[in-house]
Amino acid sequence: MAAGGAWRFLLAFAAGCLAAPWLPVLPGWTLWLALLILAAGGLAFRTTCLAATCLLGGLWFTAAVQWQLDSEWPSARDGSLVSVTGTLVELPQRFDQSERFLLAVDQSESDPDVPARLLVSWYRPSERLQPGSRWSMQLELEPPTGRLNPGGFDYRRYLLSRRIGATARVRGEPERLAEEALRGRIDRQRQRLADIIQAETVDLDVAALKRALGVADRSGLRPELSEQLRQTGTAHLLAISGLHIGMVAGIAGLLISLLAAPLVLVWKRLDRRRLAVLGGLLAAFGYAALAGFTLPTQRALIMLGVAAMALLARRAVAPGHALLLALIAVLLFDPLAPLATGFWLSFAAVAVLIWAFAWRPAGDGRWLAGLLRAQLIVMIGLLPLNVGLFGQLVPGALLANLVAIPLVGLVVLPALLLDIGSMLAGLPASFAAAIADWGLSRLLVFLDWLHGIDWAFVPHVGGGGLSLLLAAAGALWLLAPVGWPARWLGVSLMLPLLLPPMDRPDQGELDVHFLDVGSGLAVLVDSADETLLFDTGPGDGEGGDLLSRILPGLLVRIGSDGLDRVVISHDHRGHAGGAASVADSPRIYASAPGPGQACRRGTQWQSGGYRFHFLHPSPGLPDLGPNSSCVLQVSGPGGSLLLTGGIDADVEARLLLDQPALTADVLQLPAGGHRSGGSAGFLEALSPDLAVASVARFDRYDRVHEELQGRLVAAGIRWLSTGRCGAIRIRFRPERAPRVSSMATTSRRFWRDPGNCP
């Protein structure tokens, strides 16, 4: 086979692996075997050989995924207590009073059904957790799951990509066993270095950045700092990536070449160039070890290895071929890697640079112009991923990286690595630490200024999957080498992603979004004239909440200018936990004393053709806890909605006494699906077409309670839960039945169980 043919087959295999993650369902083992036989037959014929190789790539991915899904903790055993023996791997993460860590299970000493890797949370651990330590512990296991909201982070996919078969909570008092001798030794060293960096750095943000950049420990980054890095387009720079690996290899190679120069005088056969290549590769390997051999460092190491072998053998290798070899190696080593967003960003950025520069003549040495051109190319090349996956445009990233890349690459990184080297040698703090601190503190000041500029970051939600593919093709067309015909046409292919049609409700229509917030409630009600939020989901009430991560993107996605009204039904952690994140809303209603005005029976207003009317609590009613909840009725030409907060059967009876003709087409199940709410009389009187419960997928109180389910079935009422369906959207339309859809089926993927969701 010619060399060109071999590269085509490698590319076809990789294409199959990269296309398979977009499948809505997996083929199952029987069909998988049939497809394998078909692919094997296809390899025998020249005309079908390439397609068969592509199919083999897809089968490689689907087999690995099916194997992992089959080994996960079953839903039927949710909440079971099991005894497990295992080893703590990677660095533990601290969250307030809890520690979260990965446990590699010793399956010969545990329940055989327990998955090989668990993500464990330990509330108030009794001692410091160290990588490599072995434990015997009692765990409460849950199948891997995640919340599903429009534009939200897909935690279920993340767990699958990390091969985590269950999440768990520590119960009782674990026993620490003899520490493992070899496994975890590198991670323990990383933990020790992170501790030293933290102790020797005054500024907490600078310390967090040094830990992230030095040993890939991002646990010290505040959420606000992480968000600032993301919104200035510099998050990639403060995580150990291929750029850093390349920098370290280059600096090490240069130093070794200079130091070896005198030796050439006494040893004529010494090849200084080869010695520099080997030294650079060894330094890159050491830095990748400090980073825990993350995916970007694996890719960079393989590419460096290919380039080094070519240099040592005095052979030329095309950059594209080196990238393809790295891609194949990663896919063979970890077939689930394409499920991680970082995989696509890591390879896409390098591929775009190779595509844009490979056929262009070398620069004239003006490094600033070259850096500016590279940033422009990366910004255009990754624009489809930024808009399509992250819902953002970051024009400020161009300016940010023009400053940050030289500062981090030429000042901070060499100084930090020199400081880490002195730590490993047991030396006292060096001047290098002060240089790294100075560089990072200046960088933070600059990013803080840039973050305050309005145009530097623009939330922008693009179109669907097809528009994303068209935009990716358009970006490659636009960045094609000189001589490519009509490159400007690439812009037209990007327009469907950049200018998607908005689906705003017209007059007489109403959009209702029951958000998937776990154990709590948050309902966005959007009319043609205004947007209202009923309850704010779980959180600490001081800004540490889920709503702040969901709501901004959702408002952009639905084309809303912002919240016009907020209703906090009652003072409960699951209903008022995100109140701090919406405290600047123009109008706030609440049942408890505090900011805003009271939601008292009789208060009403009109919006978009709908009447918003508080039915409870009455003026003068004492504080009854959840039974003092605001109860909001929304009615109009498309139907009616009743939001009940946390009331139970007693208030339901009172509502029927006050409003004998009360009805609702859609009902939020009272009391979060507990059996104390949704009495038979209330359900029979309202007779809704649909009832919605906002509960976690594996709720610790088993909501929706069996008794309530029985009453719903007896009344002939269809019900849905956000835990099973993700966010649920209901569009009220005049003279037509409400249209119901959910995230479980809107963007179908094989790792989500659609069940009976609409």
Side-chain angles (χ1 to χ4, degrees):
M1 182 185 295
W7 290 116
R8 284 199 300 272
F9 281 104
L10 289 177
L11 187 60
F13 182 85
C17 290
L18 299 182
W22 302 91
L23 289 173
V25 294
L26 291 178
W29 286 118
T30 304
L31 180 56
W32 185 90
L33 188 59
L35 291 173
L36 180 64
I37 295 172
L38 181 65
L43 291 175
F45 303 96
R46 177 176 295 181
T47 54
T48 59
C49 200
L50 209 57
T53 306
C54 183
L55 180 58
L56 282 175
L59 293 174
W60 174 255
F61 173 85
T62 53
V65 167
Q66 190 68 62
W67 187 277
Q68 175 61 27
L69 291 175
D70 290 346
S71 67
E72 291 180 347
W73 190 244
S75 300
R77 296 188 65 182
D78 163 47
S80 299
L81 286 176
V82 295
S83 297
V84 171
T85 299
T87 302
L88 196 152
V89 296
E90 301 185 5
L91 299 185
Q93 307 285 313
R94 188 162 190 85
F95 299 92
D96 295 329
Q97 300 185 59
S98 298
E99 292 238 22
R100 192 163 64 190
F101 55 92
L102 273 177
L103 191 73
V105 176
D106 186 346
Q107 294 182 302
S108 64
E109 301 179 26
S110 308
D111 185 326
D113 290 338
V114 175
R117 280 164 65 93
L118 306 176
L119 184 61
V120 183
S121 294
W122 188 353
Y123 182 68
R124 293 181 176 176
S126 56
E127 62 179 281
R128 180 174 171 76
L129 300 176
Q130 288 186 309
S133 56
R134 297 189 71 239
W135 294 84
S136 175
M137 51 180 61
Q138 190 91 353
L139 297 177
E140 181 182 341
L141 296 185
E142 280 188 0
T145 186
R147 301 182 183 99
L148 196 55
N149 291 288
F153 179 64
D154 193 338
Y155 190 60
R156 175 71 180 90
R157 186 184 65 181
Y158 165 79
L159 293 176
L160 181 60
S161 71
R162 298 291 314 277
R163 297 178 185 271
I164 294 171
T167 56
R169 285 187 289 269
V170 173
R171 296 293 184 233
E173 190 59 37
E175 177 189 0
R176 180 166 182 166
L177 308 176
E179 195 169 272
E180 191 169 337
L182 296 176
R183 190 173 185 178
R185 178 171 294 181
I186 293 178
D187 286 334
R188 282 198 297 276
Q189 194 62 253
R190 293 173 59 208
Q191 188 182 48
R192 187 180 77 85
L193 293 172
D195 291 343
I196 296 175
I197 291 173
Q198 186 70 46
E200 294 183 347
T201 308
V202 176
D203 189 295
L204 292 180
D205 283 343
V206 171
L209 293 179
K210 287 171 67 177
R211 287 166 58 183
L213 195 55
V215 295
D217 176 15
R218 300 173 66 87
S219 61
L221 292 174
R222 295 180 295 112
E224 296 81 4
L225 180 57
S226 297
E227 191 66 10
Q228 188 181 69
L229 296 175
R230 184 181 71 84
Q231 294 188 0
T232 53
T234 53
H236 69 98
L237 209 57
L238 279 306
I240 299 177
S241 65
L243 176 65
H244 303 94
I245 296 291
M247 286 178 175
V248 169
I251 292 172
L254 180 62
L255 287 176
I256 290 173
S257 178
L258 292 174
L259 292 174
L263 297 178
V264 178
L265 300 175
V266 294
W267 187 7
K268 302 294 185 185
R269 299 184 62 184
L270 177 65
D271 190 331
R272 196 158 57 111
R273 184 184 179 194
R274 291 183 175 181
L275 189 63
V277 168
L278 288 174
L281 190 60
L282 189 61
F285 185 86
Y287 191 34
L290 278 178
F293 292 109
T294 57
L295 179 77
T297 61
Q298 291 176 24
R299 188 258 304 154
L301 271 183
I302 294 171
M303 290 190 69
L304 276 175
V306 172
M309 284 191 292
L311 285 171
L312 293 175
R314 300 186 187 281
R315 300 284 298 272
V317 59
H321 291 167
L323 181 65
L324 181 57
L325 284 177
L327 177 62
I328 291 293
V330 169
L331 292 173
L332 290 177
F333 177 72
D334 183 10
L336 304 191
L339 292 173
T341 306
F343 168 90
W344 294 91
L345 289 175
S346 173
F347 278 96
V350 180
V352 164
L353 287 173
I354 291 175
W355 171 253
F357 282 109
W359 291 275
R360 285 186 168 88
D364 54 4
R366 292 182 296 180
W367 65 271
L368 183 59
L371 179 60
L372 180 61
R373 177 185 291 181
Q375 288 305 311
L376 278 172
I377 286 172
V378 170
M379 190 170 72
I380 295 172
L382 296 188
L383 190 143
L385 290 179
N386 271 323
V387 175
L389 298 183
F390 303 112
Q392 62 181 24
L393 286 170
V394 194
L398 184 64
L399 180 59
N401 283 296
L402 281 177
V403 174
I405 287 179
L407 180 59
V408 172
L410 301 178
V411 179
V412 174
L413 187 59
L416 180 60
L417 291 179
L418 188 60
D419 188 38
I420 289 177
S422 69
M423 295 177 196
L424 292 172
L427 300 175
S430 65
F431 69 95
I435 295 175
D437 290 1
W438 174 85
L440 287 173
S441 62
R442 295 303 93 193
L443 179 63
L444 284 174
V445 170
F446 170 69
L447 294 182
D448 192 49
W449 168 78
L450 187 63
H451 190 236
I453 300 177
D454 292 339
W455 56 261
F457 173 81
V458 182
H460 186 89
V461 177
L466 180 59
S467 62
L468 175 61
L469 290 176
L470 285 175
L476 291 178
W477 192 289
L478 191 62
L479 297 174
V482 176
W484 193 275
R487 287 189 297 171
W488 56 270
L489 283 176
V491 176
S492 61
L493 293 176
M494 302 173 76
L495 291 179
L497 182 74
L498 297 175
L499 302 172
M502 283 294 174
D503 187 21
R504 291 285 303 159
D506 296 325
Q507 283 291 332
E509 293 186 335
L510 190 76
D511 248 346
V512 179
H513 299 263
F514 284 85
L515 303 183
D516 183 8
V517 294
S519 296
L521 179 68
V523 185
L524 195 71
V525 183
D526 189 31
S527 71
D529 296 336
E530 67 175 36
T531 304
L532 175 146
L533 179 69
F534 188 90
D535 277 344
T536 60
D540 58 13
E542 299 178 354
D545 54 67
L546 181 62
L547 186 71
S548 60
R549 301 196 293 273
I550 298 175
L551 190 61
L554 180 59
L555 291 175
V556 174
R557 188 173 292 271
I558 65 176
S560 171
D561 294 330
L563 295 177
D564 298 287
R565 301 174 195 261
V566 172
V567 179
I568 299 175
S569 68
H570 63 293
D571 189 16
H572 182 277
R573 187 181 176 90
H575 294 252
S581 297
V582 293
D584 57 349
S585 299
R587 294 189 184 89
I588 297 177
Y589 303 88
S591 62
Q597 63 188 91
C599 59
R600 291 294 177 257
R601 189 181 68 179
T603 304
Q604 58 181 304
W605 67 92
Q606 291 281 336
S607 174
Y610 282 79
R611 178 191 183 219
F612 292 72
H613 183 200
F614 284 119
L615 304 182
H616 185 79
S618 304
L621 190 73
D623 184 8
L624 302 176
N627 270 335
S628 293
S629 289
C630 309
V631 176
L632 180 65
Q633 183 191 43
V634 185
S635 57
S640 60
L641 164 74
L642 188 64
L643 299 171
T644 60
I647 65 170
D648 63 17
D650 292 338
V651 177
E652 293 172 7
R654 173 70 180 271
L655 285 174
L656 292 179
L657 284 175
D658 292 340
Q659 307 274 338
L662 182 63
T663 60
D665 296 303
V666 177
L667 169 70
Q668 174 239 317
L669 278 175
H674 193 273
R675 61 181 174 180
S676 62
S679 62
F682 189 66
L683 295 177
E684 184 179 352
L686 265 65
S687 187
D689 296 324
L690 176 67
V692 179
S694 181
V695 294
R697 175 70 177 87
F698 299 104
D699 183 65
R700 65 174 64 183
Y701 305 110
D702 292 327
R703 297 174 296 180
V704 173
H705 196 275
E706 287 185 358
E707 289 184 20
L708 178 55
Q709 290 186 41
R711 293 198 289 268
L712 289 165
V713 172
I717 299 170
R718 179 191 183 198
W719 66 274
L720 301 171
S721 78
T722 54
R724 289 187 175 277
C725 299
I728 297 170
R729 179 185 181 186
I730 304 166
R731 169 66 70 92
F732 289 90
R733 305 167 294 175
E735 300 179 358
R736 286 186 288 177
R739 184 177 64 204
V740 184
S741 60
S742 72
M743 285 298 296
T745 55
T746 301
S747 52
R748 185 83 180 272
R749 292 289 183 270
F750 57 79
W751 58 85
R752 301 171 190 156
D753 177 16
N756 296 321
C757 298

